[in-house]
Amino acid sequence: MKTTKYFQAIRSRPDRAMITDEWILGVMNEPVREVVQEDRRIRRWGRIPEAEGRYLRVVLLPDGETVHNAFFDRRFTP
C-alpha cells in the first residue's frame, strides 16, 4: 500500500493507530461511496464491522492508489 509522508506522520495519533491496513484496503477496493474532490483527491467510505460498524473515510491522491488520510468519519451517513 502506497502512502504519503503526511499519512505516515498522522498514523501514530492515538485515534488513528487502531486503523489497520486491511481495513484501508477493504475501503479502497469496495467503498460504499466515492467522491472526487475539486483537487482530484478521492474520498472513499466503507463500514468496518470490527470497529462497532463505524465508517472509515480513506482519502487517496488522484492516482487512486496512494493513501493520504484515513479516519473514522462520524458525520458520514450512507
Side-chain angles (χ1 to χ4, degrees):
M1 181 171 79
K2 294 171 27 179
T3 61
T4 62
K5 287 184 181 181
Y6 173 79
F7 178 75
Q8 293 163 14
I10 66 163
R11 193 158 199 194
S12 61
R13 289 177 34 173
D15 62 328
R16 312 276 171 102
M18 68 176 288
I19 297 172
T20 68
D21 288 354
E22 179 180 68
W23 295 347
I24 293 170
L25 291 169
V27 173
M28 289 172 68
N29 294 326
E30 295 184 34
V32 296
R33 185 178 301 166
E34 176 179 300
V35 173
V36 178
Q37 302 177 171
E38 288 184 15
D39 63 3
R40 299 182 36 226
R41 289 182 180 168
I42 304 162
R43 295 180 191 167
R44 291 181 181 162
W45 289 265
R47 186 175 177 272
I48 309 298
E50 298 88 344
E52 302 172 355
R54 294 185 289 171
Y55 284 88
L56 182 66
R57 182 196 299 189
V58 176
V59 180
L60 305 170
L61 295 185
D63 66 7
E65 298 176 359
T66 306
V67 178
H68 180 65
N69 203 350
F71 58 92
F72 288 106
D73 189 343
R74 286 184 247 172
R75 293 187 286 176
F76 178 76
T77 53

